Amino acid sequence: MTKWVYTFGDGAAEGAAEMKALLGGKGANLAEMSNLGIPVPPGFTITTEVCTAFYANERAYPAELASQVDDALALMSRITGKNFGDEADPLLVSVRSGARASMPGMMDTVLNLGLNDVTVEALAKVAGDERFAYDSYRRFIQMYSNVVLDLEHHDFEEILEDYKEHNGYVLDTDLTADDWKAVIVSYKALVERAMGKPFPQDPRQQLWGSIGAVFGSWMNARAVTYRRLHDIPASWGTAVNVQAMVFGNMGETSATGVAFSRNPSTGEKALYGEFLVNAQGEDVVAGIRTPQNLTEAARIQAESDKPSLETVMPAAYAEFVAICERLEKHYRDMQDVEFTVERGKLWMLQCRIGKRTTKAALKMAVDMVAEGLITSTEAIGRIDPAGLDQLLHPTIDPKAERKQFAHGLPASPGAACGEIVFTSEEAEAATQAGRKVVLVRVETSPEDIHGMHASEGILTTRGGMTSHAAVVARGMGKPCVSGAGAIRIDYAAGTMTAEGVTLKRGDKITIDGSAGQVLIGAVPMSRPELSGDFAKLMGWADDVRRMKVRANAETPADAKVARSFGAEGIGLCRTEHMFFDEGRIVAVREMILADTEAERREALAKLLPMQRKDFVDLFEIMHGLPVTIRLLDPPLHEFLPKTEAEIAEVSAAMGVPAAKLKDRAEALHEFNPMLGHRGVRLAISFPEIYEMQVRAIFEAAIQAAKETGEHVVPEIMVPLVGIKAELDFVKTRIDAVAKEVADKTGVTLDYHVGTMIELPRAAITADKIAETAEFFSFGTNDLTQTTFGLSRDDASKFLNYYLKGGILEHDPFVTIDKEGVGSMIELAAERGRKTRPNIKLGICGEHGGDPASVKFCETVGLDYVSCSPFRVPIARLAAAQAALEHKK
Ligand code: ADP
Ligand code: MG
Ligand code: MG
């Protein structure tokens, strides 16, 4: 018989931390904590396999499930001494969803389940506290109605707000038992009106209703969106946890809270979190009451007048600190925990590896190596390479003037600037229209995930450091200021006001998520210093990395940035970018529009010194590191004058009538320029163009070698080769120019000639091409276009349908399509190596900075990846992780 249910509690468990796939993250860790003897209320986990079976069998449960649940409930009864549904001393439970990866899009928790009109009386008697019992019951009705019966949370809130207003109450804690009884009558009436039947009184019906709601929520829109954004397969399924209740709402000696064992924003080694006295469940993160600090140090720093847990419940606090330390040692990582104190007794309700900013991840990883908790190899694996982008995020220029609009909590670091929008829909629409926005909300909910994703940053007026907005923003690496309480938002008017100043939708603001500031206007920003922990970790990564990392750069500015980020060479220098320069474009146009070879050579002669200067600069900055220069690639018409003014300018410069110029431009028109007269094809018709370029390269190499004292060995790359004879044609001319330059200068030249592999024909005939080519560089942008027969510029219109429909798993222009384009690369690498065993192989498409693609490059054994300068650190770390993984 399949085991569908795993129990935990009282110092033992059937599950363990390694069983996340089966028990979900929450269930596996509850089991682990139980096994460690940490106080955890007993309960059981219904496995993710039940979820899978549920969907495979038209939403029906496996036959044995009911009896296994009964057995597990019986064990809970033995441990707690209470029986589920018992009318004298009822066992109450929570029903909690728990997927393998934490998923905020999932079902909300139902607490206090098992209460009804009879058991609530019993609870009041057993606890000796009627107010507590009815507070719990009203919470249960509201949660169950919302989560299971799908009624609006808001309608219940309204009843409560009306009741409070009518009776002159401000806080929920002002209400007496009788008040709650009255509210419950209205709640139940609301349910009966909406459902056409009374609120379910049978605890078993309540339990199965909740279990069904958890499994049902796996396919709700929020969860589906979240899975899509985070690459979580639908096949994983969720588990359901049923757990005995402990009560943080039993008066002043009870409390509930959340904590991180280290600061998830900065990485600082200090307990970080919040709690509320006499509260339950999500009260802390809901932002309705302002939570209190855990530690005295944090309270003092926050200048809070509310006492810390350390002072109000010193015994529970001390035990809590010890448990957090123990969990950190046990899991060897920072912990995110939830706890409740019931009448002075501490209970742990959840632990998991805490989410953190990249900055915090770096600090923690480096600190934990120093503490001896993890090795430097493990530290490398702790950082998400793509997340390094966060560190390259701008911060507000320290010299900039700050016009403060309001301040809140520094919920997620970094600065962001954009137009104010008040809804997620607006945020998405504006971003699609190419505008940058900051999402401003009273508070966010899982429905806002897509809007948060579209925004540069998030500002909320309610909620603490662990509010939804704060947690999600940190996960996304977006700056966030939360709980900016002085701001009043008027959604209807599209305005927000603080201290007499009103800003409206579309106005620019800047938020500083590290300082918690909201600033008026677009404030200047600066890039962060990449030293300290960053440098240390990158050093470890460089030690284990096999592949080299180069940058795609053509300007001196880009080359300098690339080197400062640790690039070990230039993998792609696109010479056409140099042609667009204002001072040169006229000469370029003269060259294109020339009627005869003589005229063309005349124009090229004007370009030669300029090209030479470009290459001297690059070689000098790169100081002996390899530089791969790609000869002219784009279709010539890209350089042609388009506006009347441009045509007039060129006609004046060349002394040619404008009409003739227009005719020439029309003659050069191509129907499909990307497959037209470009790349090596230009050299076949006009060999003098490449001859000029390679002369500039050789002369520059000689000059730069003299000036830097470094040996400069240029790598000359011929684009769009599909036929070996094309490359031979060009190679002969390159060699001839080299000989000429060498003869003239008396310097012997070292250089390599290679080719891009960006056409399927080149990949397939790579063994032939390698007879001439000394290196291959996979131009994966074009190779993706030509392998798929898909134009990148047009694909955006329909690729979305492919991704949404699951026809393609990833955008092939972002992550290498392993199956197709990847096979092409493997084949070319294999055939190239057969001819020339030490052929140098690299990749220079956008994919060079995509961690998943870098991993693929490692498996093919490429020598280097080349990417845009700002992605160099990402590629260095990704290459290190790939090397470690590949070794295994
Ligand atoms: P989430 O996955 O959204 O964090 P949880 O299942 O962790 O949801 O539940 C949210 C909160 O409900 C917990 O932080 C805890 O405070 C409370 N809670 C859940 N189960 C219990 C329980 N058995 N006893 C007391 N509080 C509980
Ligand atoms: Mg929740
Ligand atoms: Mg939780």
Side-chain angles (χ1 to χ4, degrees), residues 553-554 572-581 584 588 611 614-615 618 628-634 639 690 693 697 717 719:
E554 34 272 334
L572 176 65
C573 163
R574 286 165 281 220
T575 50
E576 58 269 17
H577 286 223
M578 301 164 162
F579 280 19
F580 281 109
D581 211 85
R584 319 177 172 186
V588 172
Q611 276 266 269
D614 295 333
F615 297 138
L618 270 191
T628 305
I629 297 164
R630 181 177 72 185
L631 302 176
L632 195 65
D633 184 39
F639 299 102
Y690 281 11
Q693 290 196 293
I697 293 169
M717 181 154 77

Side-chain angles (χ1 to χ4, degrees), residues 571-841:
L572 176 65
C573 163
R574 286 165 281 220
T575 50
E576 58 269 17
H577 286 223
M578 301 164 162
F579 280 19
F580 281 109
D581 211 85
E582 227 180 293
R584 319 177 172 186
I585 186 76
V586 175
V588 172
R589 286 168 176 165
E590 283 178 44
M591 182 265 290
I592 295 169
L593 296 165
D595 283 324
T596 63
E597 189 188 323
E599 274 175 41
R600 205 159 29 244
R601 284 194 184 274
E602 209 176 297
L604 285 166
K606 288 188 207 164
L607 285 170
L608 176 70
M610 306 185 209
Q611 276 266 269
R612 187 170 52 220
K613 169 84 170 53
D614 295 333
F615 297 138
V616 170
D617 287 350
L618 270 191
F619 289 143
E620 283 183 2
I621 292 167
M622 297 314 288
H623 218 87
L625 293 172
V627 176
T628 305
I629 297 164
R630 181 177 72 185
L631 302 176
L632 195 65
D633 184 39
L636 292 182
H637 77 93
E638 282 191 12
F639 299 102
L640 286 184
K642 294 191 180 71
T643 64
E644 292 291 332
E646 286 172 342
I647 293 173
E649 190 188 348
V650 179
S651 110
M654 292 177 66
V656 185
K660 191 184 163 203
L661 281 185
K662 278 192 206 165
D663 283 352
R664 283 288 309 200
E666 255 156 54
L668 283 169
H669 168 81
E670 290 179 307
F671 289 100
N672 202 340
M674 292 322 286
L675 298 177
H677 195 188
R678 56 170 285 218
V680 70
R681 297 162 196 169
L682 293 169
I684 306 291
S685 12
F686 310 123
E688 51 280 6
I689 300 178
Y690 281 11
E691 281 172 20
M692 179 281 286
Q693 290 196 293
V694 294
R695 184 180 305 277
I697 293 169
F698 290 139
E699 292 176 356
I702 292 169
Q703 191 178 328
K706 237 184 253 159
E707 271 155 37
T708 60
E710 298 285 342
H711 194 47
V712 178
V713 185
E715 297 173 354
I716 299 169
M717 181 154 77
V718 184
L720 217 73
V721 167
I723 309 164
K724 174 183 179 265
E726 289 173 321
L727 184 60
D728 290 339
F729 179 95
V730 176
K731 171 87 162 45
T732 311
R733 280 158 180 79
I734 293 173
D735 291 342
V737 174
K739 182 160 186 312
E740 222 182 282
V741 174
D743 288 348
K744 208 163 76 193
T745 57
V747 181
T748 37
L749 283 168
D750 270 340
Y751 61 96
H752 300 296
V753 176
T755 181
M756 301 271 281
I757 300 286
E758 47 192 339
L759 295 173
R761 193 183 195 286
I764 289 166
T765 60
D767 47 345
K768 305 252 166 32
I769 292 174
E771 287 167 11
T772 308
E774 294 170 82
F775 64 87
F776 289 164
S777 177
F778 294 97
T780 47
N781 297 346
D782 265 325
L783 190 59
T784 300
Q785 298 202 81
T786 55
T787 301
F788 274 93
L790 185 68
S791 150
R792 179 183 180 165
D793 305 305
D794 300 315
S796 60
K797 292 193 199 105
F798 54 84
L799 218 48
N800 258 340
Y801 294 98
Y802 278 68
L803 296 172
K804 275 201 190 130
I807 293 169
L808 277 175
E809 212 176 312
H810 301 285
D811 181 340
F813 293 106
V814 175
T815 295
I816 284 182
D817 153 52
K818 272 194 237 160
E819 198 179 35
V821 178
S823 296
M824 203 65 91
I825 293 173
E826 275 173 327
L827 180 115
E830 188 193 306
R831 295 195 175 172
R833 284 191 188 115
K834 207 158 56 184
T835 305
R836 193 186 285 269
N838 61 350
I839 190 166
K840 204 191 255 183
L841 302 174

Side-chain angles (χ1 to χ4, degrees), residues 19-93:
M19 295 164 70
K20 289 200 178 62
L22 185 65
L23 303 180
K26 203 177 283 166
N29 286 331
L30 284 168
E32 188 80 1
M33 285 197 288
S34 290
N35 282 327
L36 289 171
I38 287 170
V40 171
F44 59 89
T45 304
I46 303 176
T47 69
T48 57
E49 285 175 355
V50 174
C51 186
T52 313
F54 178 75
Y55 282 105
N57 295 301
E58 292 167 28
R59 302 194 175 220
Y61 297 119
E64 316 87 353
L65 182 64
S67 68
Q68 294 188 14
V69 165
D70 285 343
D71 291 348
L73 280 170
L75 177 68
M76 286 167 74
S77 295
R78 284 202 293 282
I79 295 173
T80 60
K82 296 170 193 281
N83 288 315
F84 187 63
D86 189 293
E87 299 197 342
D89 189 4
L91 170 66
L92 302 181
V93 301

